[in-house]
């Protein structure tokens, strides 16, 4: 890049001095709008016969010539270049900038050349004064803005633009493989060698956005100078494909512009912008945005057409696209890391294989040592019990009759008794909730209680197969077919009467064993995920065997199993002394503990009967209940409760995360209607004849006040411990919720924000109670005590990632989002909303939505998709990038990763937690909940 300065040094000649090799007869071509005007401008200066002189500075960049400076030259004949810049008022800093004192030559230049005269902003080199020159002609003002936009367009912004406006694939590359797939689809969709306009979207891979694809088709077809094209050949399709896969940003921008410019006049009106917005909204299934397209079109025109010419041009759309990030200052991103990521990785990278193996083992030990010692203790106990019972029966005389079949069956029976007792402990929720608050949580992984429960159930299945299988197929036949000499050794155990196969089955041991086996097969089968989640399609009436209700009721059959187990273990043919019949020894204590828990649960639920104060019907088949808080009911953020509605079923209890904060004087839960019970509950509270009728015209989120005499009775049981309740034990929090899985973390956000508020503000809030309906979605606690501030002092930052498919989901916690954005002055909490139904940022189908999002928040402070002050990102988060940024920003810290959602993502998050804990000084401790 070179800078040339042209200056008139004498007053005796009328011709401007230019470089000899500067061609003035031919226009200067370049990508800038005013490049061709420079030779004309310089030739005009040659014909100027005035003594007032100017200095012109040009900048040569590639094939473009930029006019950088027009400054008044000194009136002295021998003025030096530096003297021409001496006065503040004698300098025009840049094209059309400056405050000349009395430069008639400058005004005449501007009258001669409108592209220069239209510059409306004049800035002197003095920092103390600036003058805005009025511009009367809107076209001049438009041209001035265009010139400034061209000057400000940098290579970096162009590079950023390459990442945007992708019509195909994430990389935007027209690979041979992609084109082959298009060819295959063309062969399938084309008729008589012609592809219909309506099939274009499916052919190029936009089957989910056919309407948008038709817009692309029409824009490309208009370039063929045919009024209407309804079908294209394979060659024309390939030509279209090359255009939409072009790596040149300007080419892709032109296609996007042409989609709106239906009359091909190079201008886009408000109506055309509105049509393009509706096209983008339709491609992303944003019905609400489609309804508001007219208002957002006016917003774009207001920003890009301040001259009120009624249209915008290509360069204005380009300016908005390249500079949209400037509008997004409202979204707090991860701040710059205090430790460079690559440096962090380098310091910890193992120098040898031995170091690498050692580091890996350390990470695995740190992650799994609590699970490891529990499982090891359990397996060793099972092995010891089996071995003990095996050798006990091997040394008996019955071994001579039934050989190894008997000790194997008895060894398996001993493990069955132990596991049947142990399986009750992981589901004693009250006991586990209490243990979570003790130091035992440091040694026992309470988060895995259900997984351990399932593992024990699996071992019980194995024990049953070994025990029953050996009896039926091995030792029973040996006993029945034994010789009189061998049977005489154990005849006293059978009252000196040799049993038959039938008598063994109809005995007390046989009947109880077969009955237990039948009930356990039913219970275990209906407890599998396929049956419990309605994944199995059965014909009527067997379809009632699937779902949560079938799982719930069938599990209660196990109560009968425990009674039969006592009986089965009390009538043993080969054991007669009471202290050798050990079944009751194993089962008594755990069974009594479980019975005590269920009794406590029943009594407490009647004591904790709540009054439903408000019901909020929300988008996405979700409704929320605001309930009175029972006296003495205390809980922690992240915990959950069970709800029962006797009018629906006096036996069913269903768990829901608490979304209110511990300091609130009410209880709230958000419920998604995904089953029979939740659907019935919603009907009871919104369409019950005893309740006031629901206003069908009410908007989403409107609160429906219930008559105190009308609402059905609700019973509450809890609270119960959950992984998220331990959030205070970490330096940094990473909270990840999918859809309704955000509910456990809402209470945590409320609690964190309450702890960061000044004590005097908290004390003031104790005397205030919000009474308006809108307060339901906010969370200003009325019972916060100053002492609670000390609990979360360890937490330095909390990052909340909420990923959902439906934009209406953001209505669930709209008040929470706004209040965090407004009240979190210390920057403790970062909120990141992700909408997966919208194509990722950079895709042409979401480009215009991104522009509108930036403009609307810059003007109104509200996100167009969530309706909150928190920016909504598109598509799914890049979890690796999220984890690496956290590791870089928080070195030598412990990050608590809490996830609630579907099991699929949990595997990826756990893997990243282990990997980043291995490679950095940051430790990621992963916890999960499934819904």
């Amino acid at each position: 890049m070179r800078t040339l300065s042209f200056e008139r040094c004498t007053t005796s000649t009328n011709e401007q001095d230019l470089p000899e090799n500067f061609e003035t007869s031919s226009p200067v071509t370049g990508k800038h709008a005013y490049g061709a005007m420079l030779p004309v401008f310089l030739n005009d200066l040659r014909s100027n016969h005035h003594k007032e002189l100017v200095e012109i500075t040009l900048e040569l960049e590639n094939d473009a010539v930029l006019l950088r400076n027009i400054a008044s030259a000194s009136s002295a004949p021998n003025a030096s270049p530096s003297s021409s810049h001496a006065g503040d008022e004698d300098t025009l800093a840049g094209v059309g900038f400056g405050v000349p004192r009395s430069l008639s030559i400058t005004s005449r230049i501007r009258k001669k050349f409108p592209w220069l005269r239209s510059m409306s902003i004049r800035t002197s080199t003095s920092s103390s004064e600036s003058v805005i020159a009025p511009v009367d002609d809107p076209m001049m003002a438009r041209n001035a803005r265009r010139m400034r936009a061209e000057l400000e367009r940098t290579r970096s912004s162009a590079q950023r633009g390459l990442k945007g406006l992708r019509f195909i694939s994430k990389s935007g590359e027209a690979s041979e493989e992609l084109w082959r797939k298009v060819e295959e689809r063309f062969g399938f969709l084309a008729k008589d060698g012609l592809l219909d306009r309506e099939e274009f979207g499916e052919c190029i891979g936009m089957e989910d956005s056919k309407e948008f694809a038709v817009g692309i088709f029409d824009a490309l077809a208009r370039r063929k100078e045919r009024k209407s094209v309804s079908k294209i050949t394979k060659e024309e399709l390939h030509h279209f494909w090359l255009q939409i896969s072009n790596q040149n940003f300007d080419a892709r921008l032109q296609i996007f512009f042409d989609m709106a410019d239906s009359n091909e006049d190079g201008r886009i009106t408000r109506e055309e912008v509105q049509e393009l917005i509706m096209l983008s909204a339709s491609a992303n299934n944003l019905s609400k945005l489609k309804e508001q397209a007219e208002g957002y079109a006016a917003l774009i025109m207001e920003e890009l057409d301040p001259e009120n010419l009624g249209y915008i041009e290509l360069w204005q759309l380009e300016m908005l696209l390249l500079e949209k990030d400037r509008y997004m200052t409202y979204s707090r991103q991860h701040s710059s890391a205090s430790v460079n990521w690559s440096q962090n990785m380098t310091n910890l990278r193992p120098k040898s294989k031995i170091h690498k193996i050692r580091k890996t083992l350390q990470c695995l030990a740190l992650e799994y040592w609590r699970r490891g010692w529990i499982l090891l203790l359990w397996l060793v106990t099972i092995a010891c019990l089996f071995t003990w019972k095996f050798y006990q029966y091997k040394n008996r005389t019955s071994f001579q009759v039934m050989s190894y079949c008997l000790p194997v069956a008895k060894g398996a029976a001993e493990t069955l008794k132990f596991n049947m007792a142990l399986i009750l402990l992981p589901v004693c929720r009250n006991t586990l909730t209490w243990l979570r608050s003790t130091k035992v949580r440091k040694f026992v992984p309470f988060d895995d209680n259900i997984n351990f429960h399932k593992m024990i159930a699996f071992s019980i299945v194995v024990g049953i197969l070994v025990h029953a299988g050996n009896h039926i197929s091995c030792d029973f036949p040996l006993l029945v077919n034994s010789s009189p000499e061998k049977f005489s050794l154990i005849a006293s155990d059978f009252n000196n009467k040799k049993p038959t196969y039938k008598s063994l089955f109809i005995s007390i041991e046989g009947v109880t064993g077969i009955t237990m086996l039948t009930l356990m097969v039913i219970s275990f089968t209906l407890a599998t995920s396929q049956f419990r989640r309605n994944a199995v399609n059965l014909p009527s009436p067997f379809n009632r065997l699937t779902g949560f209700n079938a799982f719930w009721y069938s599990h209660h059959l196990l109560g009968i199993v425990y009674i039969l187990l006592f009986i089965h273990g009390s009538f043993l043919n080969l054991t007669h002394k009471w202290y050798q019949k050990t079944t009751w020894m194993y089962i008594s204590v755990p069974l009594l503990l479980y019975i005590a828990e269920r009794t406590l649960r029943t009594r407490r639920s009647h004591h904790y009967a709540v009054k439903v104060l408000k019901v909020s019907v929300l988008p996405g088949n979700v409704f929320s209940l605001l309930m009175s808080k029972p006296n003495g009911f205390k809980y922690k953020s992240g915990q959950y409760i069970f709800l029962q509605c006797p009018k629906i079923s006096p036996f069913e209890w269903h768990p829901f995360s608490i979304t209110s904060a511990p300091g609130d004087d009410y209880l709230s839960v958000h419920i998604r209607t995904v089953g029979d019970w939740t659907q019935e509950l919603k009907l009871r509270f919104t369409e019950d004849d005893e309740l006031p009728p629901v206003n069908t015209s009410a908007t989403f989120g409107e609160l429906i006040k219930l008559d105190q005499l009308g609402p059905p009775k609700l019973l509450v049981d809890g609270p119960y411990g959950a992984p998220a309740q331990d959030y205070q034990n970490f330096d940094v929090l990473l909270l990840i919720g999918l859809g309704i899985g955000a509910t456990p973390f809402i209470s945590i956000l409320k609690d964190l924000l309450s702890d960061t508020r000044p004590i005097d503000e908290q004390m003031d809030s104790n005397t205030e109670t919000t009474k308006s309906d809108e307060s339901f979605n906010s969370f200003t606690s009325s019972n916060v005590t100053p002492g609670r501030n000390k609990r979360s002092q360890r937490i330095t930052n909390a990052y909340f990632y909420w990923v959902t498919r439906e934009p209406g989901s953001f209505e669930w916690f709209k008040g929470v989002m706004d209040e965090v954005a407004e009240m979190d002055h210390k920057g403790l909490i970062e909120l990141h909303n992700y909408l997966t139904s919208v194509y990722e940022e950079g895709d042409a189908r979401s480009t215009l939505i991104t522009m509108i999002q930036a403009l609307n928040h810059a003007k109104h402070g509200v996100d167009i998709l969530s309706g909150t002050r928190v920016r909504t990102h598109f598509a799914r988060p890049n979890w690796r990038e999220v984890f690496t940024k956290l590791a870089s920003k928080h070195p030598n810290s412990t990050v608590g990763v809490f996830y609630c959602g579907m099991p699929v993502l949990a595997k990826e998050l756990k893997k990243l937690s282990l990997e980043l804990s291995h490679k950095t000084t940051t430790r990621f401790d992963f916890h999960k909940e499934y819904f």
Side-chain angles (χ1 to χ4, degrees):
M1 182 175 65
R2 294 178 298 162
T3 301
L4 303 180
S5 179
F6 307 101
E7 180 179 1
R8 171 77 179 271
C9 297
T10 64
T11 59
S12 60
T13 188
N14 295 327
E15 185 144 323
Q16 304 294 326
D17 298 328
L18 298 175
E20 295 180 358
N21 60 348
F22 190 87
E23 299 293 338
T24 61
S25 59
S26 60
V28 179
T29 60
K31 61 182 178 180
H32 295 278
Y34 48 84
M37 296 299 299
L38 287 174
V40 182
F41 170 70
L42 296 175
N43 286 330
D44 184 78
L45 289 180
R46 288 193 179 99
S47 62
N48 195 335
H49 297 282
H50 295 274
K51 292 185 179 182
E52 295 187 25
L53 307 177
V54 294
E55 178 186 20
I56 303 171
T57 302
L58 301 179
E59 182 178 306
L60 304 182
E61 181 178 3
N62 298 330
D63 58 347
V65 180
L66 306 181
L67 178 60
R68 284 302 188 193
N69 191 63
I70 302 176
S72 62
S74 174
S75 60
N78 299 321
S80 64
S82 59
S83 64
S84 66
H85 296 278
D88 292 340
E89 297 178 340
D90 293 338
T91 300
L92 293 171
V95 183
F97 292 84
V99 188
R101 180 181 302 157
S102 176
L103 296 179
S104 59
I105 179 67
T106 303
S107 61
R108 277 192 289 271
I109 289 175
R110 296 185 183 278
K111 291 179 181 179
K112 181 72 177 178
F113 302 102
W115 59 271
L116 182 61
R117 186 177 71 243
S118 61
M119 302 302 291
S120 60
I121 302 178
R122 304 183 178 210
T123 309
S124 72
T125 57
S126 173
S127 59
S128 61
E129 181 182 8
S130 65
V131 178
I132 305 298
V135 177
D136 298 328
D137 191 343
M139 282 299 301
M140 295 179 183
R142 170 71 65 89
N143 290 333
R145 288 200 306 115
R146 177 174 182 171
M147 291 178 61
R148 286 198 298 275
E150 294 286 356
L151 288 173
E152 291 175 0
R153 180 182 180 181
T154 62
R155 291 183 179 179
S156 60
S157 64
Q159 288 296 326
R160 291 197 304 270
L162 288 176
K163 300 178 182 179
L165 277 177
R166 293 189 307 269
F167 289 99
I168 57 167
S169 78
K170 291 186 177 180
S171 63
E173 297 178 357
S175 65
E176 293 297 328
E177 182 180 355
L178 287 175
W179 170 243
R180 281 196 296 270
K181 292 181 179 179
V182 173
E183 283 185 307
E184 293 176 1
R185 289 191 288 263
F186 178 86
F188 178 75
L189 297 172
K191 297 179 180 179
D192 299 328
L194 296 174
L195 180 69
D196 192 79
R197 171 176 174 264
E198 301 298 330
E199 304 292 342
F200 178 72
E202 183 176 354
C203 188
I204 65 173
M206 286 189 178
E207 55 273 1
D208 296 331
S209 311
K210 290 187 177 181
E211 188 177 348
F212 191 88
V214 168
I216 299 175
F217 181 95
D218 293 340
L220 297 176
R222 284 193 292 268
R223 296 182 176 184
K224 300 175 67 63
E225 297 182 355
R226 284 191 284 175
K227 293 298 182 181
S228 61
V229 178
S230 59
K231 295 182 180 180
I232 56 174
T233 64
K234 185 176 180 180
E235 291 73 17
E236 291 173 322
L237 174 65
H238 187 252
H239 182 65
F240 283 8
W241 175 263
L242 292 177
Q243 293 183 70
I244 63 177
S245 61
N246 195 327
Q247 283 286 358
N248 184 272
F249 170 72
D250 293 328
R252 297 201 301 262
L253 178 64
Q254 186 65 58
I255 296 175
F256 191 72
F257 184 85
D258 292 343
M259 289 177 65
D261 185 20
S262 56
N263 57 2
E264 301 180 79
D265 62 351
R267 300 173 178 180
I268 300 179
T269 63
R270 188 178 69 174
E271 290 74 17
E272 291 172 327
V273 171
Q274 181 178 339
E275 291 179 5
L276 190 57
I277 292 175
M278 295 179 68
L279 206 60
S280 300
S282 177
N284 292 277
N285 298 317
L286 299 175
S287 56
K288 188 175 180 181
L289 181 65
K290 198 171 183 179
E291 296 172 357
Q292 300 174 345
E294 183 178 358
Y296 291 134
L299 179 66
I300 291 179
M301 297 300 294
E302 179 183 350
E303 176 67 20
L304 300 184
D305 182 28
E307 301 85 9
N308 293 322
L309 296 178
Y311 64 88
I312 59 175
E313 299 171 281
L314 179 65
W315 66 269
Q316 293 164 288
L317 192 64
E318 176 190 29
M319 178 184 67
L320 180 60
L321 178 62
L322 296 182
E323 303 299 332
K324 66 179 183 298
D325 291 340
R326 293 185 180 181
Y327 296 97
M328 295 184 178
T329 56
Y330 58 90
S331 179
R332 288 181 302 187
Q333 305 294 330
H334 292 298
S335 61
S336 301
S338 57
V339 176
N340 184 268
W341 164 246
S342 60
Q343 180 182 356
N344 197 5
M345 290 281 290
T346 303
N347 293 338
L348 293 173
R349 188 173 293 121
K351 299 180 180 180
S352 66
K353 290 185 177 180
I354 297 177
H355 290 162
K356 183 177 181 180
I357 294 174
R358 186 179 66 180
K359 181 65 177 179
T360 302
L361 292 176
Q362 288 177 351
C363 291
L364 291 176
L366 190 64
E367 177 68 21
Y368 294 109
W369 73 269
R370 294 189 302 170
R371 299 180 181 92
W373 82 265
I374 291 290
L375 291 177
L376 183 62
L377 178 62
W378 174 56
L379 293 174
V380 168
T381 301
I382 290 176
C384 290
L385 290 173
F386 182 90
T387 303
W388 168 63
K389 190 59 67 172
F390 179 88
Y391 281 102
Q392 185 184 80
Y393 274 84
K394 184 181 179 181
N395 296 325
R396 290 190 176 188
T397 55
S398 55
F399 177 77
Q400 300 179 29
V401 180
M402 290 174 274
S403 186
Y404 282 96
C405 299
L406 180 63
V408 170
K410 291 299 182 180
E414 202 68 15
T415 64
L416 278 172
K417 289 183 282 187
F418 171 71
N419 284 325
M420 286 295 290
L422 186 63
I423 198 171
L424 295 172
L425 298 182
V427 292
C428 291
R429 293 188 178 90
N430 290 290
T431 303
L432 295 183
T433 301
W434 171 70
L435 290 175
R436 280 178 180 271
S437 61
T438 66
K439 293 183 179 180
V440 179
R441 71 173 185 273
K442 297 180 180 179
F443 309 100
V444 180
F446 293 112
D447 294 351
D448 295 320
N449 63 316
I450 298 301
N451 289 333
F452 190 45
H453 179 77
K454 294 177 180 179
M455 292 180 66
I456 298 172
F458 178 77
S459 70
I460 289 175
V461 172
V462 174
I464 290 173
L465 292 176
V466 175
H467 177 72
N470 272 276
H471 276 324
I472 296 172
S473 63
C474 191
D475 57 30
F476 281 7
L478 289 174
L479 175 61
V480 172
N481 299 318
S482 62
S483 63
E485 293 79 11
K486 286 187 176 182
F487 179 74
S488 63
L489 299 175
I490 57 173
S492 60
D493 294 327
F494 294 91
N495 297 323
N496 296 316
K497 184 179 179 181
K498 190 176 182 179
T500 63
Y501 213 82
K502 179 179 179 181
S503 65
L504 290 173
F505 273 100
I506 64 174
S507 64
I508 295 178
E509 303 97 305
V511 172
T512 55
I514 294 174
T515 306
M516 285 192 296
L517 179 61
T518 303
L519 295 178
M520 293 176 77
V521 167
I522 296 173
S523 179
F524 284 21
T525 301
L526 298 183
T528 58
S529 59
Q530 290 81 4
F531 280 87
R532 185 162 41 90
R533 296 181 178 272
N534 279 320
V536 179
N537 295 321
L538 297 176
S540 181
F542 299 104
N543 57 347
R544 294 181 177 272
L545 296 177
T546 62
F548 184 83
N549 287 345
F551 156 74
W552 178 260
Y553 289 116
S554 65
H555 244 54
H556 284 76
L557 295 175
L558 295 175
I560 302 175
V561 171
Y562 278 96
I563 297 175
L564 295 175
L565 183 60
F566 269 111
I567 300 173
H568 185 81
S570 301
F571 293 87
L572 300 177
N573 291 320
L574 301 176
T575 303
H576 304 286
K577 296 180 180 180
W578 69 269
Y579 57 84
Q580 293 179 338
K581 299 176 180 180
T582 57
T583 302
W584 66 272
M585 298 180 185
Y586 285 102
I587 298 177
S588 297
V589 175
L591 190 58
L592 288 174
L593 177 62
Y594 184 77
I595 293 174
E597 284 235 353
R598 294 302 297 263
T599 303
L600 173 64
R601 181 173 179 172
T602 302
R603 295 176 61 87
R604 185 174 57 185
S605 63
H606 288 284
H607 176 69
Y608 284 162
V610 296
K611 183 185 300 181
V612 178
L613 305 176
K614 298 175 183 176
V615 177
S616 179
V617 180
L618 301 167
N621 293 324
V622 172
F623 67 101
S624 61
L625 298 178
L626 188 68
M627 301 166 286
S628 60
K629 189 175 182 179
N631 293 330
F633 188 88
K634 297 181 180 180
Y635 62 95
K636 296 180 180 179
S637 295
Q639 292 184 331
Y640 66 96
I641 58 176
F642 278 87
L643 292 181
Q644 183 198 85
C645 183
K647 281 191 174 183
I648 300 176
S649 172
F651 306 107
E652 291 187 46
W653 291 87
H654 293 264
F656 301 100
S657 297
I658 304 173
T659 54
S660 54
D664 293 334
D665 55 0
Y666 59 86
L667 282 177
S668 67
V669 293
H670 286 67
I671 302 173
R672 187 165 192 171
T673 54
V674 292
D676 297 339
W677 189 88
T678 53
Q679 291 176 356
E680 183 66 22
L681 184 68
K682 181 180 180 180
L683 291 175
R684 292 282 181 176
F685 281 102
T686 58
E687 299 182 10
D688 198 302
D689 294 337
E690 300 178 7
L691 302 180
V694 179
N695 183 7
T696 55
S697 63
T699 60
F700 283 130
E702 181 177 357
L703 300 176
I704 307 164
K705 294 185 177 180
L706 303 179
D707 190 285
Q708 295 183 359
L709 301 177
K713 185 179 181 181
L714 267 187
L715 303 181
V716 174
D717 178 38
Y720 291 110
Q725 78 174 59
D726 298 324
Y727 72 94
Q728 297 168 1
N729 300 324
F730 301 94
D731 304 317
V732 180
L733 298 180
L734 177 57
L735 312 175
I736 302 171
L738 298 189
I740 198 66
T743 51
F745 310 126
I746 297 302
S747 179
I748 294 177
L749 295 178
K750 297 177 181 181
D751 210 22
L752 286 175
L753 194 61
S754 297
D755 288 344
T756 60
R757 296 168 61 195
I759 294 180
D760 53 348
E761 184 180 346
Q762 293 182 20
M763 295 299 293
D764 290 342
S765 69
N766 291 345
T767 61
E768 298 178 0
T769 303
T770 306
K771 295 296 184 179
S772 65
D773 286 349
E774 296 298 330
S775 67
F776 177 72
N777 280 332
S778 65
F779 56 83
T780 304
S781 300
S782 58
N783 296 320
V784 179
T785 58
R788 291 178 62 246
N789 263 59
K790 300 179 181 179
R791 297 182 307 152
S792 304
Q793 289 181 351
R794 179 179 176 181
I795 300 175
T796 59
N797 287 95
Y799 303 89
F800 177 49
Y801 283 79
W802 187 10
V803 185
T804 182
R805 291 180 299 178
E806 302 172 0
S809 301
F810 297 122
E811 292 282 343
W812 305 346
F813 308 112
K814 181 178 179 180
V816 177
M817 301 294 175
D818 285 335
E819 205 153 354
V820 169
E822 180 180 354
M823 298 174 59
D824 183 25
H825 304 296
K826 297 182 180 179
L828 172 68
I829 303 171
E830 282 192 12
L831 304 177
H832 299 268
N833 295 337
Y834 280 82
L835 187 61
T836 59
S837 63
V838 178
Y839 291 95
E840 64 180 349
E841 295 178 17
D843 193 292
R845 288 164 287 190
S846 63
T847 296
L848 192 58
I849 299 175
T850 306
M851 297 179 186
I852 299 172
Q853 182 189 46
L855 285 176
N856 190 75
H857 202 288
K859 182 174 182 180
H860 303 293
V862 176
D863 184 77
I864 61 172
L865 299 178
S866 67
T868 69
R869 297 175 59 182
V870 182
R871 176 192 173 190
T872 300
H873 303 271
F874 302 151
R876 291 174 174 82
N878 185 335
W879 294 116
R880 178 172 294 277
E881 181 180 345
V882 171
F883 274 76
T884 52
K885 284 184 177 181
L886 285 179
S888 181
K889 184 178 180 181
H890 301 285
N892 304 308
S893 300
T894 302
V895 179
V897 183
F898 295 93
Y899 168 74
C900 183
M902 301 298 290
V904 178
L905 181 57
K907 297 179 181 178
E908 179 184 354
L909 297 177
K910 184 176 182 179
K911 180 180 178 181
L912 286 171
S913 297
L914 289 174
E915 179 182 341
L916 272 295
S917 296
H918 177 197
K919 295 181 178 179
T920 70
T921 59
T922 306
R923 182 193 169 194
F924 292 86
D925 197 349
F926 180 71
H927 305 266
K928 65 180 182 300
E929 294 180 62
Y930 296 146
F931 59 79

